[in-house]
């Protein structure tokens, strides 16, 4: 009787293993270990350092003469393209795209796909901006055609700011209720990030165009405004990254099971 049962044992074990293998694998949970404040401080200090180096170049050329620090200015001028500040801007924009994409993935697991559509849209916008910052797509698709088609002046010297304000209005209509539904302190942090970014990307861009038209010889003033413009955009991105890291940290803290030792 025992020999007969022993012969059946391997088959029974195989059936048991099959049942175990059919079970769904446990979902892997990823927790952000980045400290929001330390991360933002590090990224912000780099932005301020780049701003200082840019101002240093403009001041040096003002004192020594235009072209005296050509290579230095080319590398660190915040108002120029294809240099170190442009690369750093692309990195911040890429981080700003990755965080909403991750949040959309996490919220989709618990709230369903419909709840995170605007997070995905946000990720897509910042991903495009990151690629555009590195590849200068806007120079071909927007700036040159608009300059040829629209002969604007004054604060609208750069006609693409009109398109920018229209996009901002549409963005506000689509995302206002989404923003209102976010918890504190995420909501005011995102508002501060948006104000900084728009101040640099649109408001100071209009001032820069005005100076280029009416005070083209004021190199130091124009360089200072361009530096302030790009610095505001960089700090706006840093605020945005901090807000989303803080949002993730608070959400994960709420989902963490209570410590039984404290129960």
């Amino acid at each position: 009787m025992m020999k007969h049962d022993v012969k059946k044992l391997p088959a029974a074990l195989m059936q048991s293993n099959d049942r175990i293998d059919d079970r769904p694998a446990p979902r892997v949970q990823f927790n952000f270990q980045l400290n929001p404040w330390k991360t933002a401080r590090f990224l912000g200090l780099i932005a301020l350092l780049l701003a200082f180096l840019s101002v240093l170049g403009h001041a040096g050329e003002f004192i020594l003469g235009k072209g005296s620090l050509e290579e230095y200015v080319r590398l660190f001028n915040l108002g120029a393209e294809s240099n170190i500040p442009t690369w750093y801007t692309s990195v911040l924009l890429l981080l700003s795209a990755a965080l909403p994409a991750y949040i959309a993935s996490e919220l989709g697991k618990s709230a369903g796909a419909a709840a995170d559509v605007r997070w995905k849209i946000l990720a897509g916008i910042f991903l495009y901006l990151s690629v555009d910052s590195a590849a200068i797509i806007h120079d071909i698709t927007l700036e040159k055609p608009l300059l040829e088609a629209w002969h604007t002046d004054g604060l609208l010297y750069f006609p693409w700011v009109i398109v920018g304000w229209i996009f901002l209005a549409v963005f506000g209509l689509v995302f206002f209720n989404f923003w209102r539904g976010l918890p504190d302190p995420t909501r005011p942090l995102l508002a501060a990030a948006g104000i900084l970014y728009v101040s640099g990307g649109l408001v100071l861009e209009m001032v820069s165009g005005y100076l280029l038209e009416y005070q083209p010889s004021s190199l130091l003033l124009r360089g200072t405004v361009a530096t302030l413009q790009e610095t505001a955009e960089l700090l706006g991105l840093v605020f945005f990254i901090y807000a989303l890291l803080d949002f993730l940290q608070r959400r994960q803290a709420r989902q963490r099971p209570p410590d039984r030792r404290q129960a």
Side-chain angles (χ1 to χ4, degrees), residues 15 38 42 74 83 97 141 176-177 209 215 235-236:
Q15 291 177 358
K38 289 182 179 179
F42 175 73
R74 184 187 67 80
N83 58 11
T141 60
F176 181 70
N177 287 333
Q215 299 186 37
L235 292 179

Side-chain angles (χ1 to χ4, degrees), residues 20-21 23-30:
I20 294 173
D21 293 339
R23 296 174 185 173
R27 192 175 67 194
V28 179
Q29 295 285 346
F30 295 97

Side-chain angles (χ1 to χ4, degrees), residues 193-211:
I195 290 170
L196 272 172
Y197 194 79
V198 171
S199 296
L202 288 177
V203 177
L204 289 177
E205 178 80 345
M206 294 169 70
V207 175
S208 182
Y210 180 89
L211 291 175

